[in-house]
């Protein structure tokens, strides 16, 4: 790309104007769920008895009777065809971090030489995609292709363009899960059962417990023309090189600032389409870094929230292109400024309306609150390494530990009031009536009384309590929320099951129920104490202290993945019936392989850019400087020419040294890849890529970024940070 073309691309990007987005004339509540087969449409298009059976499946976890499948399929098809739909697909979430779909038309032979529209219950309930072509970690051989997708009736069917999308699980021919949804549903069933049994210590009318999830999706927008002029952004999702802009986020003027007009038009369009798909968009705002934004919905049941987040990420990419943007979901697309996360706000609620992680107004309600807080801490403490592994990836590793993200050490922040309550509980003279200590506080501001939360916020905490829920801040922006939710809910189910077994044993020995609960709680408060940390998670002192406490402080992404195969992890997943050892081993194979491929692609792109963009530009500029020095020597006396050419001579020498270093590092990078690729064990290969290939890339970037600062601006072919990061 010539320098003139770069400037043309930048100029055209800055000329962009907002599209006139046609907003529906109805209020959002009137078009919410327009393209979703929700309960209102089920009631309209299904026979009453079929509707009631299907609602029982959705609300109460009843088994789906296949005898009603044909009636449900007929109702879905009628609604879909009235909406102009011609195809259907099983929409699932393989281990690629994205979604998958194969479209089939509503057509069959009519036996008379023509065709007819047909969609049966068999086609709704089950299909057979090619399992060998998706990541499977060795569960399936290449020549063993059969796999099955099966309808998940708890997540509503929806329409995208002309296609009816049916949320499904995806399993192998031999029964192992090959996706995120199947183990997520198992984890949700496990925590439902365990939490319901504990709830019955306090409430006779609780028969089900639901997991709630509210995600906060951060993302970057860049102009499409500038994106296309950056091969690294196109192929890896991040800039592999680029010196920071003189102005980036240091003025704190972008956070919650006025949303740029073009971005506002994009957000408006995105929200309309999301609401039509029943994604309950609630919040939008500028994030800390330039060009960084956030969208957050109202919380939903966990399985549905995960589906909605996966759907939204696909929708964002589609809508962004319509507005001449590209959306970047990579956790760290730009060096030196904040990366993007996807905070998971997690809580449990009972079917009697009780929020289990919220304090109450009576000692009994607050005892229930403390039980669920402490057992959450027990789950996080015992499986802190697993929770870190659940959110770790080659991309999120760039973000964790920066000042915009929590550190790669899992700990939990509770705040002074709740911490004080747990410290009080540890004492032998603790009184049941002391639980009134959790009463809400107020503060007067002018003539207004403010209700003060029980905790402040701690941005450095990966797992912080925020009043009636925990905010898991470590998940990355492009990951599937299900990964963290599978680990967290399974661990919580194990902790609650253990708690109930120990309490029941004391009750069976004749102890009073309340006394038994408090005594077991006291044991657990002491046991999980190492996971509680209210201080600065960015400090070096915390790393030392965390290691002393026995928390996982490992930083190597491939090594962190090994927590999936810890014996206590395997035992937890198998006891809760969420995943088997074989499934866990397969998933780790996929994680290691994905890590290798991610870094491998980045290394190849970096080598190509170095040899085809950076070095040619540097040597061209160096030649111009040499010619200038030669001209000086021809027209000035030697001593004066030397003095006047001193700066250029220094630049010529620096360019020579840095280009020589880049060429050497490129060769070393290629050799490091070659040696790593020879390693048979995928685990060892991933570690080699982390320890050698990634290290060479960091050294190359330092040389390239320094070159960018001394090369003539008009010669530099790649759009710079100051151009990429400021939407006009």
């Amino acid at each position: 790309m010539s320098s003139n073309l770069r400037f043309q691309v930048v100029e055209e990007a800055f000329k962009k104007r907002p599209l006139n987005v046609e907003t529906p004339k109805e209020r959002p509540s009137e078009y919410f769920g327009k393209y979703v087969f929700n309960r209102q449409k089920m009631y309209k298009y299904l026979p009453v008895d079929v509707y009631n059976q299907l609602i029982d499946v959705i609300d109460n976890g009843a088994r789906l009777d296949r005898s009603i499948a044909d009636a449900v399929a007929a109702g879905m098809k009628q609604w879909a065809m009235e909406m102009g739909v011609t195809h259907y697909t099983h929409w699932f979430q393989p281990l690629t971090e994205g979604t998958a779909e194969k479209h089939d038309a509503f057509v069959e032979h009519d036996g008379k030489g023509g065709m007819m529209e047909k969609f049966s219950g068999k086609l709704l309930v089950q299909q057979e995609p090619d399992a060998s072509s998706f990541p499977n970690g060795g569960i399936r051989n290449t020549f063993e292709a059969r796999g099955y997708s099966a309808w998940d009736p708890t997540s509503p069917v929806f329409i995208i363009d002309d296609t009816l999308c049916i949320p499904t699980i995806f399993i192998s021919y031999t029964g192992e899960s090959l996706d995120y949804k199947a183990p997520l549903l198992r984890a949700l069933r496990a925590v439902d059962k365990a939490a319901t049994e504990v709830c019955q210590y306090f409430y006779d009318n609780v028969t089900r417990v639901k997991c709630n999830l509210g995600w906060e999706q951060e993302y970057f927008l860049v102009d499409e023309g500038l994106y296309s002029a950056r091969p690294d952004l196109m192929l890896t999702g991040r800039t592999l090189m680029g010196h920071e802009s003189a102005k980036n986020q240091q003025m704190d003027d972008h956070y919650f600032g006025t949303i740029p007009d073009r971005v506002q038009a994009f957000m408006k369009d995105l929200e309309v389409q999301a609401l039509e798909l029943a994604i309950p968009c609630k919040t939008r705002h500028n994030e800390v870094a330039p060009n960084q934004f956030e969208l957050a919905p109202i919380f939903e049941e966990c399985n549905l929230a995960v589906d909605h987040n996966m759907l939204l990420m696909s929708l964002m990419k589609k809508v962004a292109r319509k507005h001449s943007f590209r959306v970047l979901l990579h956790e760290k697309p730009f060096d030196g400024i904040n990366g993007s996360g996807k905070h998971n706000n997690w809580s449990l609620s009972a079917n009697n309306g009780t929020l289990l992680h919220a304090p109450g107004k009576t000692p009994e309600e607050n005892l229930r609150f403390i039980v669920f807080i402490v057992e959450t801490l027990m789950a996080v403490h015992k499986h802190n390494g697993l929770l870190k592994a659940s959110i770790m990836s080659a991309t999120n590793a760039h973000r964790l530990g920066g000042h915009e993200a929590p550190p790669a050490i899992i700990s939990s922040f509770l705040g002074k009031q709740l911490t004080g309550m747990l410290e009080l509980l540890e004492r032998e003279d603790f009184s049941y009536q002391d639980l009134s200590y959790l009463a809400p506080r107020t503060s007067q501001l002018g003539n207004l009384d403010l209700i003060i939360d029980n905790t402040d916020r701690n941005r450095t905490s990966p797992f912080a309590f925020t009043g009636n829920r925990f905010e898991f801040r470590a998940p990355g922006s492009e990951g599937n929320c299900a990964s963290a939710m599978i680990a967290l809910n399974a661990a919580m189910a194990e902790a609650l099951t253990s708690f109930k077994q120990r309490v029941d044993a004391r009750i069976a020995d004749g102890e009073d129920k309340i006394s038994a609960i408090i005594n077991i709680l006291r044991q657990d408060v002491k046991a999980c104490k190492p996971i509680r940390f209210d201080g600065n998670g960015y400090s070096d002192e915390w790393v030392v202290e965390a290691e002393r406490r026995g928390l996982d402080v490992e930083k190597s992404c491939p090594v962190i993945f090994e927590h999936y195969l810890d014996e206590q992890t395997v035992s937890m997943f198998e006891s809760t019936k969420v995943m088997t050892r074989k499934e866990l081993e397969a998933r780790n194979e996929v994680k290691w392989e994905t890590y290798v491929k991610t870094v491998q692609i980045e290394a190849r792109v970096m080598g190509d850019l170095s040899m085809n963009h950076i070095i040619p530009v540097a040597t061209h500029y160096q030649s111009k400087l040499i010619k200038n020095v030669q001209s000086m020597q021809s027209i000035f006396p030697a001593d004066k020419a030397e003095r006047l050419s001193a700066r250029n001579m220094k630049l010529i020498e620096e360019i020579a040294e840095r280009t020589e270093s880049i060429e050497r590092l490129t060769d070393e990078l290629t050799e490091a890849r070659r040696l790593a690729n020879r390693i048979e064990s995928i685990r060892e290969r991933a570690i080699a890529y982390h320890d050698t290939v990634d290290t060479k890339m960091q050294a190359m970037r330092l040389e390239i970024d320094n070159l960018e600062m001394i090369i003539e601006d008009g010669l530099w072919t790649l759009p710079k940070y100051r151009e990429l990061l400021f939407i006009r």
Side-chain angles (χ1 to χ4, degrees):
M1 175 183 176
S2 72
S3 59
N4 287 337
L5 182 55
R6 169 186 154 220
F7 290 142
Q8 289 171 17
V9 169
V10 172
E11 186 178 359
E12 286 301 313
F14 286 173
K15 287 181 180 177
K16 300 290 185 186
R17 291 292 179 266
L19 292 175
N20 291 321
V21 179
E22 186 175 342
T23 306
K25 295 179 181 177
E26 311 99 315
R27 290 174 296 179
S29 59
E30 294 173 320
Y31 60 82
F32 181 78
K34 176 181 179 180
Y35 295 113
V36 177
F37 195 63
N38 55 23
R39 296 184 187 222
Q40 182 184 32
K41 298 181 183 77
M42 290 178 193
Y43 189 79
K44 178 179 179 181
Y45 288 93
L46 301 181
V48 173
D49 60 328
V50 173
Y51 170 83
N52 289 332
Q53 288 185 65
L54 187 55
I55 294 301
D56 190 34
V57 171
I58 296 169
D59 285 351
N60 303 314
R63 292 188 65 83
L64 177 67
D65 188 342
R66 285 210 175 199
S67 65
I68 70 170
D70 281 330
V72 175
M76 282 183 182
K77 187 193 77 171
Q78 182 183 350
W79 167 69
M81 292 185 65
E82 289 176 7
M83 299 293 289
V85 168
T86 58
H87 289 67
Y88 65 92
T89 184
H90 275 201
W91 183 82
F92 56 98
Q93 299 167 30
L95 302 178
T96 59
E97 301 299 325
T99 58
E101 52 199 64
K102 173 175 70 73
H103 297 202
D104 289 302
F106 286 135
V107 292
E108 297 288 348
H109 289 292
D110 66 358
K112 302 174 184 177
M115 303 199 82
M116 60 184 290
E117 287 77 20
K118 186 176 180 180
F119 181 56
S120 66
K122 180 181 178 181
L123 296 175
L124 166 65
V125 171
Q126 182 175 315
Q127 280 195 339
E128 184 195 328
D130 186 339
S132 68
S133 298
F134 290 101
N136 61 70
I139 284 179
R140 307 292 289 152
N141 292 306
T142 303
F143 59 86
E144 295 175 316
R146 197 182 297 274
Y148 297 103
S149 54
W151 176 36
D152 170 19
T154 64
S155 185
V157 169
F158 56 91
I159 294 171
I160 296 290
D161 296 326
D162 64 351
T163 303
L164 183 70
C165 299
I166 304 160
T168 59
I169 64 170
F170 180 44
I171 62 173
S172 73
Y173 178 72
T174 48
E176 293 88 5
S177 64
L178 296 175
D179 70 341
Y180 282 105
K181 181 180 278 284
L184 176 64
L185 291 174
R186 295 174 194 156
L188 295 175
R189 282 195 294 270
V191 80
D192 172 13
K193 180 177 182 298
T196 297
E197 290 178 352
V198 172
C199 273
Q200 288 170 353
Y201 285 139
F202 307 97
Y203 311 104
D204 294 333
N205 60 344
V206 171
T207 57
R208 288 202 70 190
V209 169
K210 179 177 68 173
C211 172
N212 306 304
L213 171 62
W215 40 264
E216 302 169 26
Q217 181 69 60
E218 295 176 346
Y219 61 96
F220 281 84
L221 290 175
V222 295
D223 282 288
E224 190 166 36
L226 301 177
Y227 171 89
S228 299
R230 290 286 309 222
D232 49 354
L233 271 182
M234 292 177 65
L235 297 176
T236 73
R238 73 180 180 109
T239 53
L240 299 175
M241 54 197 68
H243 198 283
E244 67 179 36
S245 171
K247 180 184 185 299
N248 47 53
Q249 67 187 46
Q250 67 266 49
M251 299 300 293
D252 298 321
D253 55 347
H254 190 258
Y255 189 54
F256 281 21
T258 302
I259 299 171
D261 289 346
R262 287 181 59 207
V263 177
Q264 182 93 347
F266 157 78
M267 288 179 168
K268 184 177 179 182
D269 199 358
L270 174 63
E271 287 174 2
V272 168
Q273 295 189 45
L275 290 168
E276 289 177 336
L277 289 166
I279 303 173
C281 298
K282 176 74 173 178
T283 302
R284 65 186 184 201
H285 63 81
N286 287 5
E287 256 301 334
V288 174
N291 279 25
Q292 188 186 33
F293 308 94
E294 180 181 295
L295 181 152
I298 302 169
F299 74 90
E300 300 178 281
E301 185 277 325
C302 184
N303 177 45
L304 180 58
V306 168
D307 282 1
H308 277 167
N309 182 247
M310 297 303 292
L311 178 56
L312 180 89
M313 288 193 290
S314 296
L315 189 62
M316 290 173 80
K317 295 173 184 177
K318 177 181 174 182
V319 176
R321 296 193 69 171
K322 176 181 172 184
H323 292 259
S324 299
F325 286 129
R326 288 300 184 105
V327 65
L328 305 180
L329 295 174
H330 191 290
E331 283 79 6
K332 193 76 170 180
F334 303 102
D335 192 39
I337 62 171
N338 281 18
S340 297
K342 180 150 50 193
H343 304 168
N344 282 202
N345 293 279
W346 170 86
S347 65
L348 299 175
S349 59
N351 63 332
N352 67 351
T354 302
L355 294 176
L356 300 181
H357 285 104
K361 297 180 180 178
T362 66
E364 185 178 38
E365 286 181 333
N366 282 329
L367 182 61
R368 175 267 308 155
F369 165 64
I370 294 295
V371 165
F372 279 91
I373 291 294
V374 171
E375 294 315 308
T376 299
L377 295 176
M378 286 290 287
V380 175
H381 175 243
K382 183 176 181 180
H383 296 288
N384 71 94
L386 171 64
L387 288 174
K388 182 160 73 172
S390 76
I391 55 83
M392 185 56 68
S393 66
T395 55
N396 201 23
H398 292 289
R399 162 183 168 263
L400 292 175
H403 69 278
E404 78 276 14
I409 301 171
I410 301 299
S411 65
S412 186
F413 167 83
L414 297 180
K416 289 183 179 180
Q417 188 180 35
L418 191 49
T419 296
M421 186 74 258
L422 297 189
E423 290 173 350
L424 190 63
L425 184 60
E426 282 188 62
R427 293 165 43 182
E428 294 297 329
D429 62 347
F430 171 79
S431 168
Y432 179 46
Q433 299 303 318
D434 288 336
L435 289 172
S436 60
Y437 177 79
L438 294 172
R441 298 179 298 122
T442 61
S443 178
Q444 191 169 16
L445 180 65
N447 59 357
L448 178 66
D449 286 336
L450 297 180
I451 298 175
I452 305 300
D453 288 322
N454 289 324
T455 69
D456 197 354
R457 289 179 178 268
N458 186 329
R459 295 179 58 84
T460 73
S461 177
F463 196 82
F465 182 66
T466 57
N468 59 8
R469 63 192 182 277
F470 281 92
E471 183 179 19
F472 195 8
R473 297 177 57 84
S477 55
E478 71 176 356
N480 190 324
C481 296
S483 181
M485 291 296 102
I486 291 166
L488 179 56
N489 284 294
M492 185 64 175
E494 180 192 54
L496 289 170
T497 299
S498 171
F499 173 80
K500 185 172 190 304
Q501 289 171 347
R502 289 176 290 143
V503 170
D504 285 352
R506 296 184 77 109
I507 294 174
D509 288 341
E511 188 172 353
D512 171 74
K513 180 182 74 172
I514 297 298
S515 175
I517 290 173
I518 291 174
N519 282 324
I520 295 299
L521 270 181
R522 182 175 291 118
Q523 294 174 13
D524 288 354
V525 167
K526 295 175 181 178
C528 69
K529 206 166 186 177
I531 203 68
R532 288 159 40 198
F533 179 66
D534 288 1
N536 180 8
Y538 296 154
S539 68
D540 294 335
E541 292 78 10
W542 167 233
V543 178
V544 176
E545 171 64 15
E547 188 170 16
R548 187 192 66 79
R549 294 184 183 191
L551 304 182
D552 184 88
V553 297
E554 178 62 57
K555 293 183 179 179
S556 169
C557 185
V559 175
I560 290 169
F561 290 151
E562 293 179 1
H563 284 295
Y564 273 98
L565 302 179
D566 290 345
E567 282 306 313
Q568 68 175 15
T569 298
V570 176
S571 174
M572 180 267 288
F573 277 124
E574 290 190 332
S575 67
T576 55
K577 299 180 180 180
V578 173
M579 281 189 280
T580 64
R581 182 183 294 272
K582 185 177 180 181
E583 288 174 314
L584 290 167
E585 290 172 345
R587 280 163 195 266
N588 252 37
E589 290 285 311
V590 172
K591 286 179 179 293
W592 281 318
E593 186 174 0
T594 301
Y595 181 87
V596 167
K597 289 178 178 178
T598 300
V599 180
Q600 185 181 71
I601 291 169
E602 290 183 349
R604 293 182 64 181
V605 171
M606 192 165 207
D608 290 346
L609 285 176
S610 297
M611 300 308 294
N612 296 318
H613 281 257
I614 307 306
I615 291 179
V617 168
T619 53
H620 179 57
Y621 182 53
Q622 186 182 49
S623 296
K624 290 181 67 174
L625 293 175
I626 291 171
K627 189 174 293 186
N628 178 268
V629 170
Q630 290 171 342
S631 298
M632 290 281 194
Q633 291 172 345
S634 68
I635 63 174
F636 292 112
D639 58 340
K640 187 172 184 179
E642 182 180 356
R643 178 167 53 82
L644 294 176
S645 304
R647 180 178 180 275
N648 284 352
M649 286 298 296
K650 184 178 179 181
L651 289 175
I652 290 168
E653 183 177 358
E654 183 177 353
I655 291 170
E657 289 175 350
R658 293 197 184 282
T659 53
E660 179 186 29
S661 179
I662 292 169
E663 288 177 334
R664 174 178 52 79
L665 286 167
T666 300
D667 291 340
E668 292 177 2
L669 184 64
T670 302
E671 179 65 10
R673 285 191 359 246
R674 186 179 65 82
L675 292 174
N677 291 337
R678 289 179 177 177
I679 300 173
E680 186 173 348
S681 163
I682 187 62
R683 172 191 176 276
E684 297 302 322
R685 196 184 317 153
I687 291 173
Y689 262 88
H690 175 273
D691 293 348
T692 60
V693 177
D694 189 60
T695 302
K696 299 292 183 188
M697 289 174 61
Q698 293 177 40
M700 284 179 66
R701 174 167 195 153
L702 181 62
E703 297 290 352
I704 292 169
D705 289 357
N706 282 321
L707 266 183
E708 182 184 330
M709 293 301 290
I710 63 175
I711 300 295
E712 180 186 333
D713 187 58
L715 295 178
W716 198 258
T717 60
L718 301 174
K720 298 186 176 186
Y721 273 24
R722 68 169 185 263
E723 297 157 351
L724 289 165
L725 285 171
F726 295 94
I727 291 172
R728 304 290 177 86

